[in-house]
């Protein structure tokens, strides 16, 4: 299942997070946790550095959204 399919109703929020208009982990922590679970098999998140983990998740979202918009 693709990001845009699974999180269809949250696409605007995801775009805002990618544009750094909002911090997803603060604005919508439940959605952020779902995204962490969604990407957990694709990337290695340590849990030791929340900023690093957040940036990795945002970069994954950015890449997935770009694939759709192209």
């Amino acid at each position: 299942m693709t990001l845009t399919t699974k999180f269809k109703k949250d696409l605007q929020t995801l775009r805002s997070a990618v544009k750094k208009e909002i911090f997803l982990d603060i604005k919508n922590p439940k959605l952020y946790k779902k995204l962490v679970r969604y990407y957990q098999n694709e990337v290695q998140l340590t849990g030791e550095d929340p900023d690093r983990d957040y940036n990795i998740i945002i970069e994954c979202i950015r890449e997935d959204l770009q694939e759709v918009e192209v």
Side-chain angles (χ1 to χ4, degrees):
M1 184 176 285
T2 64
L3 174 81
T4 54
T5 304
K6 184 164 179 72
F7 298 99
K8 188 176 187 176
K9 64 182 172 105
D10 299 306
L11 288 178
Q12 190 58 42
T13 302
L14 297 177
R15 286 187 185 103
S16 294
V18 166
K19 293 177 186 174
K20 299 182 180 184
E21 295 171 351
I22 63 168
F23 290 101
L24 196 56
D25 56 343
I26 295 170
K27 180 79 172 173
N28 197 332
K30 286 184 179 182
L31 176 59
Y32 179 67
K33 286 180 184 180
K34 289 178 186 178
L35 288 160
V36 169
R37 283 194 302 269
Y38 178 78
Y39 287 114
Q40 71 185 357
N41 294 328
E42 294 182 35
V43 295
Q44 184 175 353
L45 302 174
T46 63
E48 295 175 10
D49 186 354
D51 290 335
R52 178 186 170 278
D53 291 350
Y54 180 82
N55 289 329
I56 290 171
I57 294 294
I58 293 298
E59 187 57 36
C60 289
I61 295 167
R62 177 180 287 114
E63 289 173 10
D64 286 348
L65 289 177
Q66 283 178 347
E67 288 175 10
V68 172
E69 293 173 358
V70 170

Coordinates of all heavy atoms in Angstrom, one line a residue:
M1 N 0.8 -1.2 0.0 CA 0.0 0.0 0.0 C 0.9 1.2 0.0 O 1.8 1.3 0.8 CB -0.9 0.0 1.2 CG -1.9 1.1 1.3 SD -3.0 1.0 2.7 CE -4.1 -0.3 2.1
T2 N 0.6 2.2 -0.9 CA 1.4 3.4 -1.0 C 1.0 4.4 0.1 O 0.0 4.3 0.7 CB 1.2 4.0 -2.3 OG1 -0.1 4.5 -2.5 CG2 1.6 3.1 -3.5
L3 N 1.9 5.3 0.3 CA 1.7 6.4 1.3 C 0.4 7.2 1.0 O -0.4 7.4 1.8 CB 2.9 7.3 1.3 CG 2.7 8.6 2.2 CD1 3.0 8.2 3.7 CD2 3.6 9.7 1.8
T4 N 0.3 7.5 -0.3 CA -0.9 8.3 -0.7 C -2.2 7.6 -0.6 O -3.3 8.2 -0.4 CB -0.7 8.9 -2.1 OG1 -0.5 7.8 -3.0 CG2 0.4 9.9 -2.2
T5 N -2.2 6.3 -0.7 CA -3.4 5.5 -0.5 C -3.7 5.3 1.0 O -4.8 5.5 1.4 CB -3.2 4.1 -1.1 OG1 -2.8 4.2 -2.5 CG2 -4.4 3.3 -1.0
K6 N -2.7 5.0 1.7 CA -2.9 4.7 3.2 C -3.2 6.0 4.0 O -4.1 5.9 4.9 CB -1.7 4.0 3.8 CG -1.8 3.6 5.2 CD -0.8 2.7 5.6 CE -0.9 2.3 7.1 NZ -2.0 1.4 7.4
F7 N -2.6 7.1 3.6 CA -2.8 8.3 4.3 C -3.5 9.4 3.5 O -3.2 10.6 3.6 CB -1.5 8.8 4.8 CG -0.8 7.9 5.8 CD1 0.2 7.1 5.4 CD2 -1.2 7.8 7.1 CE1 0.9 6.2 6.2 CE2 -0.6 7.0 8.0 CZ 0.5 6.2 7.6
K8 N -4.5 8.9 2.7 CA -5.2 9.8 1.7 C -5.8 11.0 2.4 O -5.6 12.1 1.9 CB -6.3 8.9 1.1 CG -7.0 9.6 -0.1 CD -7.9 8.7 -0.7 CE -8.5 9.3 -2.0 NZ -9.4 8.3 -2.6
K9 N -6.4 10.9 3.5 CA -7.1 12.0 4.2 C -6.1 13.0 4.9 O -6.4 14.1 5.2 CB -8.1 11.5 5.2 CG -7.6 10.8 6.3 CD -8.7 10.3 7.3 CE -8.1 9.4 8.3 NZ -7.9 9.9 9.6
D10 N -4.8 12.5 5.0 CA -3.8 13.3 5.7 C -2.8 14.0 4.7 O -1.8 14.5 5.2 CB -3.1 12.5 6.7 CG -4.0 11.9 7.7 OD1 -4.7 12.7 8.4 OD2 -4.1 10.7 7.9
L11 N -3.0 13.9 3.4 CA -2.0 14.4 2.5 C -1.7 15.8 2.6 O -0.5 16.2 2.5 CB -2.5 14.1 1.0 CG -2.5 12.7 0.6 CD1 -3.0 12.5 -0.8 CD2 -1.1 12.1 0.7
Q12 N -2.6 16.7 2.9 CA -2.4 18.1 3.1 C -1.5 18.3 4.3 O -0.5 19.1 4.3 CB -3.7 18.9 3.2 CG -3.4 20.4 3.2 CD -2.7 20.8 1.9 OE1 -3.0 20.4 0.8 NE2 -1.8 21.7 2.0
T13 N -1.7 17.6 5.4 CA -0.9 17.7 6.6 C 0.5 17.2 6.3 O 1.5 17.8 6.7 CB -1.5 16.8 7.7 OG1 -2.8 17.3 8.0 CG2 -0.7 16.9 9.0
L14 N 0.6 16.1 5.5 CA 2.0 15.6 5.2 C 2.7 16.6 4.3 O 3.9 16.8 4.5 CB 1.8 14.3 4.5 CG 1.2 13.1 5.3 CD1 1.1 11.9 4.4 CD2 2.0 12.9 6.5
R15 N 2.0 17.2 3.4 CA 2.7 18.3 2.6 C 3.2 19.4 3.4 O 4.3 20.0 3.2 CB 1.8 18.7 1.5 CG 1.6 17.7 0.4 CD 0.8 18.3 -0.8 NE 0.5 17.3 -1.8 CZ -0.7 16.6 -1.9 NH1 -1.7 16.9 -1.2 NH2 -0.8 15.7 -2.8
S16 N 2.4 19.8 4.4 CA 2.7 20.9 5.3 C 4.0 20.6 6.1 O 4.9 21.4 6.3 CB 1.6 21.3 6.2 OG 0.5 21.8 5.5
A17 N 4.0 19.3 6.5 CA 5.2 18.9 7.3 C 6.5 18.9 6.4 O 7.5 19.3 6.9 CB 4.9 17.5 7.9
V18 N 6.3 18.4 5.2 CA 7.5 18.4 4.3 C 8.0 19.8 4.0 O 9.2 20.0 3.9 CB 7.1 17.6 3.0 CG1 8.1 17.9 1.9 CG2 6.9 16.1 3.2
K19 N 7.0 20.7 3.9 CA 7.4 22.1 3.6 C 7.9 22.9 4.9 O 8.2 24.0 4.9 CB 6.2 22.9 3.1 CG 5.8 22.5 1.7 CD 4.5 23.2 1.2 CE 4.0 22.7 -0.1 NZ 2.7 23.3 -0.4
K20 N 7.9 22.1 6.0 CA 8.4 22.7 7.3 C 7.4 23.8 7.8 O 7.9 24.6 8.5 CB 9.8 23.1 7.2 CG 10.7 22.0 6.9 CD 12.2 22.4 6.9 CE 13.0 21.2 6.6 NZ 14.4 21.4 6.6
E21 N 6.2 23.7 7.4 CA 5.2 24.6 7.9 C 4.7 24.2 9.3 O 4.3 25.0 10.1 CB 4.0 24.7 7.0 CG 4.4 25.3 5.6 CD 3.3 25.2 4.6 OE1 2.3 24.6 4.8 OE2 3.5 25.8 3.5
I22 N 4.7 22.9 9.6 CA 4.3 22.3 10.8 C 5.4 21.2 11.2 O 6.1 20.7 10.4 CB 2.9 21.7 10.8 CG1 2.9 20.5 9.9 CG2 1.9 22.7 10.5 CD1 1.6 19.7 10.0
F23 N 5.4 20.9 12.5 CA 6.2 19.8 13.0 C 5.2 18.7 13.3 O 4.3 18.8 14.2 CB 6.9 20.1 14.3 CG 8.1 21.1 14.0 CD1 8.0 22.4 14.3 CD2 9.3 20.6 13.5 CE1 9.0 23.3 14.0 CE2 10.3 21.5 13.2 CZ 10.2 22.8 13.5
L24 N 5.2 17.7 12.5 CA 4.2 16.6 12.5 C 4.2 15.9 13.9 O 3.1 15.6 14.4 CB 4.6 15.6 11.4 CG 3.5 14.6 11.0 CD1 2.2 15.3 10.6 CD2 4.0 13.7 9.9
D25 N 5.3 15.7 14.5 CA 5.3 15.0 15.8 C 4.7 15.8 16.9 O 4.2 15.3 17.9 CB 6.7 14.6 16.2 CG 7.7 15.7 16.2 OD1 7.5 16.8 15.6 OD2 8.8 15.5 16.8
I26 N 4.6 17.2 16.7 CA 4.0 18.0 17.7 C 2.5 18.3 17.3 O 1.6 18.2 18.1 CB 4.7 19.4 17.8 CG1 6.1 19.1 18.4 CG2 4.0 20.4 18.7 CD1 7.1 20.2 18.4
K27 N 2.3 18.6 16.0 CA 0.9 19.0 15.6 C 0.0 17.8 15.5 O -1.2 17.9 15.8 CB 1.1 19.6 14.1 CG -0.2 20.0 13.5 CD -0.7 21.3 14.0 CE -1.9 21.8 13.2 NZ -2.5 22.9 13.8
N28 N 0.5 16.6 15.1 CA -0.3 15.4 15.0 C 0.5 14.2 15.4 O 0.9 13.4 14.5 CB -0.9 15.3 13.6 CG -2.0 14.4 13.5 OD1 -2.2 13.5 14.2 ND2 -2.9 14.6 12.5
P29 N 0.7 14.0 16.7 CA 1.5 12.9 17.2 C 1.0 11.5 16.8 O 1.8 10.6 16.5 CB 1.7 13.1 18.7 CG 0.6 14.1 19.0 CD 0.3 14.8 17.8
K30 N -0.3 11.3 16.8 CA -0.9 10.0 16.4 C -0.5 9.7 14.9 O -0.2 8.6 14.6 CB -2.4 10.0 16.6 CG -2.8 10.0 18.0 CD -4.4 9.9 18.1 CE -4.8 9.8 19.5 NZ -6.3 9.6 19.6
L31 N -0.7 10.7 14.1 CA -0.3 10.4 12.7 C 1.2 10.1 12.5 O 1.6 9.2 11.8 CB -0.7 11.7 11.8 CG -0.3 11.6 10.3 CD1 -0.9 10.4 9.6 CD2 -0.7 12.9 9.7
Y32 N 2.0 10.9 13.3 CA 3.4 10.6 13.2 C 3.8 9.2 13.7 O 4.6 8.5 13.0 CB 4.2 11.7 14.1 CG 5.7 11.5 14.1 CD1 6.4 11.7 13.0 CD2 6.3 11.0 15.3 CE1 7.8 11.5 13.0 CE2 7.7 10.8 15.3 CZ 8.4 11.1 14.1 OH 9.8 10.8 14.1
K33 N 3.1 8.7 14.7 CA 3.4 7.3 15.2 C 3.0 6.3 14.1 O 3.7 5.3 13.9 CB 2.7 7.1 16.5 CG 3.3 7.7 17.7 CD 2.6 7.5 18.9 CE 3.2 8.2 20.1 NZ 2.5 8.0 21.3
K34 N 1.9 6.6 13.4 CA 1.4 5.7 12.3 C 2.5 5.7 11.2 O 2.8 4.7 10.6 CB 0.1 6.1 11.8 CG -1.1 5.9 12.7 CD -2.4 6.4 12.1 CE -3.5 6.2 13.1 NZ -4.8 6.8 12.6
L35 N 3.0 6.9 10.9 CA 4.0 7.0 9.9 C 5.3 6.2 10.2 O 6.0 5.6 9.4 CB 4.3 8.4 9.5 CG 3.2 9.1 8.8 CD1 3.3 10.6 8.9 CD2 3.2 8.7 7.3
V36 N 5.7 6.3 11.5 CA 6.9 5.6 12.0 C 6.7 4.1 11.8 O 7.6 3.4 11.3 CB 7.2 5.9 13.5 CG1 8.2 5.0 14.0 CG2 7.6 7.4 13.6
R37 N 5.5 3.6 12.1 CA 5.2 2.2 11.9 C 5.2 1.8 10.4 O 5.7 0.8 10.0 CB 3.9 1.8 12.5 CG 3.9 1.7 14.0 CD 2.7 1.0 14.6 NE 1.5 1.7 14.3 CZ 0.9 2.6 15.0 NH1 1.5 2.9 16.2 NH2 -0.2 3.2 14.7
Y38 N 4.7 2.8 9.6 CA 4.6 2.5 8.2 C 6.0 2.4 7.5 O 6.2 1.6 6.7 CB 3.8 3.7 7.5 CG 3.7 3.6 6.0 CD1 2.8 2.8 5.4 CD2 4.6 4.4 5.2 CE1 2.7 2.7 4.0 CE2 4.5 4.3 3.8 CZ 3.5 3.5 3.2 OH 3.4 3.4 1.9
Y39 N 6.9 3.2 8.0 CA 8.3 3.2 7.5 C 9.3 2.3 8.2 O 10.5 2.2 7.8 CB 8.8 4.6 7.4 CG 8.2 5.5 6.3 CD1 7.4 6.6 6.6 CD2 8.4 5.2 5.0 CE1 6.9 7.3 5.6 CE2 7.9 5.9 4.0 CZ 7.1 7.0 4.3 OH 6.5 7.8 3.3
Q40 N 8.9 1.7 9.3 CA 9.9 1.0 10.1 C 10.6 -0.1 9.4 O 11.8 -0.4 9.8 CB 9.2 0.4 11.4 CG 8.3 -0.7 11.2 CD 7.5 -1.1 12.4 OE1 7.8 -0.6 13.5 NE2 6.7 -2.1 12.3
N41 N 10.1 -0.7 8.4 CA 10.8 -1.8 7.7 C 11.7 -1.2 6.6 O 12.5 -2.0 6.0 CB 9.8 -2.8 7.1 CG 9.1 -3.5 8.2 OD1 9.6 -3.8 9.3 ND2 7.8 -3.9 7.9
E42 N 11.5 0.1 6.2 CA 12.3 0.7 5.1 C 13.5 1.4 5.6 O 14.5 1.5 4.9 CB 11.4 1.6 4.3 CG 10.3 0.9 3.6 CD 9.5 1.9 2.8 OE1 10.1 2.9 2.2 OE2 8.3 1.7 2.7
V43 N 13.4 2.0 6.8 CA 14.5 2.8 7.4 C 14.9 2.3 8.8 O 14.1 1.7 9.4 CB 14.2 4.3 7.4 CG1 14.0 4.8 6.0 CG2 13.0 4.6 8.2
Q44 N 16.1 2.7 9.2 CA 16.5 2.3 10.5 C 16.4 3.5 11.4 O 17.1 4.5 11.3 CB 17.9 1.8 10.5 CG 18.4 1.3 11.9 CD 19.8 0.7 11.8 OE1 20.4 0.6 10.7 NE2 20.4 0.4 12.9
L45 N 15.4 3.4 12.4 CA 15.3 4.5 13.3 C 15.8 4.0 14.7 O 15.5 2.9 15.1 CB 13.8 4.8 13.5 CG 13.1 5.2 12.2 CD1 11.6 5.4 12.4 CD2 13.6 6.5 11.7
T46 N 16.6 4.8 15.3 CA 17.3 4.4 16.5 C 16.5 4.6 17.8 O 16.6 3.9 18.7 CB 18.6 5.2 16.7 OG1 18.3 6.6 16.8 CG2 19.6 5.0 15.5
G47 N 15.7 5.7 17.8 CA 14.9 6.0 19.0 C 15.8 6.8 19.9 O 15.3 7.4 20.9
E48 N 17.1 6.8 19.7 CA 18.0 7.5 20.6 C 18.1 9.0 20.3 O 18.3 9.8 21.1 CB 19.4 6.9 20.5 CG 19.4 5.5 21.0 CD 20.8 4.9 20.8 OE1 21.8 5.6 20.5 OE2 20.9 3.7 21.0
D49 N 17.9 9.4 19.0 CA 17.9 10.7 18.5 C 16.6 11.1 17.8 O 16.5 10.9 16.6 CB 19.1 10.9 17.6 CG 19.3 12.4 17.2 OD1 18.5 13.2 17.6 OD2 20.3 12.7 16.5
P50 N 15.6 11.6 18.6 CA 14.3 11.9 18.0 C 14.4 12.8 16.8 O 13.6 12.7 15.8 CB 13.5 12.5 19.1 CG 14.2 12.1 20.3 CD 15.7 11.9 20.0
D51 N 15.3 13.8 16.8 CA 15.4 14.8 15.7 C 15.8 14.0 14.4 O 15.3 14.3 13.3 CB 16.4 15.9 16.0 CG 15.8 16.9 17.0 OD1 14.6 16.9 17.2 OD2 16.6 17.5 17.7
R52 N 16.8 13.2 14.5 CA 17.3 12.4 13.4 C 16.2 11.5 12.8 O 16.0 11.5 11.6 CB 18.5 11.5 13.8 CG 19.1 10.7 12.7 CD 20.2 9.7 13.3 NE 20.5 8.7 12.3 CZ 19.9 7.6 12.1 NH1 18.8 7.3 12.7 NH2 20.3 6.7 11.1
D53 N 15.5 10.8 13.7 CA 14.4 9.9 13.3 C 13.3 10.7 12.6 O 12.8 10.3 11.6 CB 13.8 9.2 14.5 CG 14.8 8.2 15.1 OD1 15.8 7.9 14.5 OD2 14.5 7.6 16.2
Y54 N 13.0 11.9 13.1 CA 12.0 12.7 12.5 C 12.4 13.1 11.1 O 11.6 13.1 10.2 CB 11.7 14.0 13.4 CG 10.7 14.9 12.8 CD1 9.3 14.7 13.0 CD2 11.1 16.0 12.1 CE1 8.4 15.5 12.5 CE2 10.1 16.9 11.5 CZ 8.8 16.6 11.8 OH 7.8 17.5 11.2
N55 N 13.6 13.6 11.0 CA 14.1 14.0 9.7 C 14.1 12.9 8.7 O 13.8 13.1 7.5 CB 15.5 14.6 9.8 CG 15.5 16.0 10.5 OD1 14.5 16.7 10.4 ND2 16.5 16.3 11.2
I56 N 14.4 11.7 9.1 CA 14.4 10.5 8.2 C 13.0 10.2 7.7 O 12.7 10.0 6.5 CB 15.0 9.3 8.9 CG1 16.5 9.4 9.1 CG2 14.6 8.0 8.1 CD1 17.1 8.3 10.0
I57 N 12.0 10.3 8.7 CA 10.6 10.1 8.3 C 10.1 11.2 7.3 O 9.5 10.9 6.3 CB 9.7 10.1 9.6 CG1 10.0 8.8 10.4 CG2 8.2 10.1 9.2 CD1 9.7 7.5 9.8
I58 N 10.5 12.4 7.6 CA 10.0 13.5 6.7 C 10.7 13.3 5.3 O 10.0 13.6 4.3 CB 10.4 14.9 7.3 CG1 9.6 15.1 8.6 CG2 10.2 16.0 6.3 CD1 8.1 15.2 8.3
E59 N 11.9 12.9 5.3 CA 12.5 12.7 4.0 C 11.8 11.5 3.2 O 11.6 11.6 2.0 CB 14.0 12.4 4.1 CG 14.8 12.3 2.9 CD 14.7 13.6 2.0 OE1 14.7 14.7 2.6 OE2 14.7 13.5 0.8
C60 N 11.5 10.5 3.9 CA 10.7 9.4 3.2 C 9.4 9.9 2.7 O 9.0 9.6 1.6 CB 10.5 8.3 4.2 SG 11.9 7.3 4.7
I61 N 8.7 10.7 3.5 CA 7.4 11.3 3.0 C 7.7 12.2 1.8 O 6.9 12.1 0.8 CB 6.8 12.1 4.1 CG1 6.4 11.2 5.3 CG2 5.5 12.9 3.6 CD1 6.0 12.0 6.6
R62 N 8.7 13.0 1.8 CA 9.0 13.9 0.7 C 9.2 13.1 -0.6 O 8.7 13.4 -1.6 CB 10.3 14.7 1.0 CG 10.7 15.6 -0.2 CD 11.9 16.4 0.2 NE 11.6 17.5 1.1 CZ 12.0 17.6 2.4 NH1 12.8 16.7 2.8 NH2 11.7 18.5 3.1
E63 N 10.0 12.0 -0.5 CA 10.3 11.2 -1.6 C 9.0 10.5 -2.2 O 8.8 10.5 -3.4 CB 11.3 10.1 -1.3 CG 12.7 10.7 -1.0 CD 13.7 9.6 -0.5 OE1 13.3 8.4 -0.5 OE2 14.8 10.0 -0.1
D64 N 8.2 10.0 -1.3 CA 7.0 9.3 -1.7 C 6.0 10.3 -2.3 O 5.3 10.0 -3.3 CB 6.3 8.6 -0.5 CG 7.0 7.3 -0.2 OD1 7.9 6.9 -0.9 OD2 6.7 6.7 0.9
L65 N 5.9 11.5 -1.8 CA 5.0 12.5 -2.4 C 5.5 13.0 -3.7 O 4.7 13.2 -4.6 CB 4.8 13.7 -1.4 CG 4.0 13.5 -0.2 CD1 4.0 14.7 0.7 CD2 2.6 13.0 -0.5
Q66 N 6.8 13.1 -3.9 CA 7.4 13.5 -5.2 C 7.1 12.5 -6.3 O 6.8 12.8 -7.4 CB 8.9 13.7 -5.1 CG 9.2 15.0 -4.4 CD 10.7 15.2 -4.3 OE1 11.5 14.3 -4.4 NE2 11.1 16.4 -3.9
E67 N 7.1 11.2 -5.9 CA 6.8 10.1 -6.9 C 5.4 10.3 -7.4 O 5.2 10.0 -8.6 CB 7.0 8.8 -6.2 CG 8.5 8.4 -6.0 CD 8.6 7.1 -5.2 OE1 7.6 6.4 -5.1 OE2 9.7 6.8 -4.8
V68 N 4.5 10.7 -6.6 CA 3.1 10.8 -7.0 C 2.9 12.1 -7.9 O 2.2 12.0 -8.8 CB 2.2 10.9 -5.8 CG1 0.8 11.2 -6.1 CG2 2.3 9.6 -5.0
E69 N 3.6 13.1 -7.5 CA 3.4 14.4 -8.2 C 4.1 14.5 -9.6 O 3.7 15.3 -10.4 CB 3.9 15.6 -7.3 CG 3.0 15.7 -6.1 CD 3.6 16.7 -5.1 OE1 4.7 17.3 -5.3 OE2 2.9 16.9 -4.1
V70 N 5.0 13.6 -9.8 CA 5.7 13.6 -11.1 C 4.9 13.0 -12.2 O 4.0 12.4 -12.1 CB 7.1 12.8 -11.0 CG1 7.7 12.6 -12.3 CG2 8.0 13.5 -10.0

